[in-house]
Amino acid sequence: MKTLLFLSLSFFGFCFLSHAQGRDTVLLSTCNTANEVTTLTPDEKQIILLLNFVRTHPDEFLKQYLPDAADKLHEQSSAEYRSLERELRKMKPVGLLLPDEILRKAATLHAQDMGRTGRTGHTSSKGKNFETRLGTSYTDMAENCDYGYSNPILIVCHLLIDKDVSGLGHRKNILNPVYKKIGVSIQPHKKFGMNCVMDMAD
């Protein structure tokens, strides 16, 4: 099944790794599957680390990182935040996401295109839809787009909370055990300042 997904708007700067001081470095190293990838920026690598942390340690992510981010996002009283709390408490860990160069290139091209043209969505400025852009290398695919934030923890938590997104599609993509590979790109956006694209696949 190929999944088209939604958009988000977002700003702020705090560092996930600062929360991790004194924590189990082996755990963080395990989640940091993109550490040696030279084509990703430090923030893009951090997004993959965060996605892997919430997938493999959902309850710990909820306790350690989500409340601060939700406060910065002004979402602590939202129904979506409360539903995310419930979901992470009962969720069983799922597998790590591994960086994929094909997905990274697809995410980068789309983030650059949206940023340059000021557009949002999953269709390129040349009219190519999500499935066409990602090609036929994968069976199951999904895409998350986030607008307005450059900080990794806020990008991830904004998509996880998924305020006002019907069906909580971004959240479902992030936590879906079907996806094994990921490409991430953060690029400037002429309307929202920054935009992030995550492309995931089996």
Side-chain angles (χ1 to χ4, degrees), residues 8-177:
S8 300
L9 304 169
S10 336
F11 168 79
F12 164 87
F14 76 36
C15 181
F16 166 74
L17 292 179
S18 67
H19 286 257
Q21 290 177 356
R23 292 177 45 76
D24 187 347
T25 55
V26 173
L27 182 155
L28 291 180
S29 177
T30 300
C31 293
N32 197 15
T33 57
N35 185 49
E36 302 299 324
V37 179
T38 60
T39 51
L40 292 168
T41 69
D43 282 345
E44 291 162 353
K45 292 179 182 182
Q46 197 173 9
I47 283 177
I48 294 175
L49 187 155
L50 285 162
L51 295 174
N52 281 329
F53 193 79
V54 72
R55 285 166 64 93
T56 58
H57 297 81
D59 190 57
E60 199 162 351
F61 183 92
L62 167 62
K63 294 173 183 176
Q64 296 291 332
Y65 308 115
L66 185 61
D68 285 345
D71 182 61
K72 298 298 180 182
L73 292 165
H74 307 290
E75 293 291 357
Q76 281 191 309
S77 62
S78 70
E80 291 88 350
Y81 175 76
R82 292 193 296 272
S83 77
L84 177 60
E85 284 184 311
R86 292 191 296 271
E87 185 166 355
L88 293 181
R89 284 193 186 104
K90 68 181 182 181
M91 175 183 162
K92 294 182 179 180
V94 298
L96 294 167
L97 294 167
L98 302 179
D100 180 269
E101 187 62 12
I102 294 174
L103 294 173
R104 185 201 67 80
K105 288 180 179 178
T108 300
L109 288 172
H110 191 58
Q112 290 174 338
D113 183 29
M114 296 296 97
R116 182 178 61 255
T117 60
R119 295 164 59 94
T120 61
H122 301 280
T123 302
S124 76
S125 60
K126 296 183 178 179
K128 292 184 178 181
N129 63 23
F130 167 76
E131 295 180 0
T132 302
R133 288 190 292 101
L134 265 67
T136 59
S137 300
Y138 315 97
T139 303
D140 292 285
M141 301 180 291
E143 180 170 84
N144 288 348
C145 301
D146 192 81
Y147 300 91
Y149 296 133
S150 59
N151 182 270
I153 188 69
L154 290 191
I155 291 170
V156 170
C157 288
H158 189 234
L159 292 168
L160 281 167
I161 294 169
D162 240 4
K163 178 70 177 293
D164 297 327
V165 175
S166 176
L168 303 174
H170 295 117
R171 183 192 304 178
K172 290 179 179 177
N173 282 347
I174 290 171
L175 302 179
N176 192 335

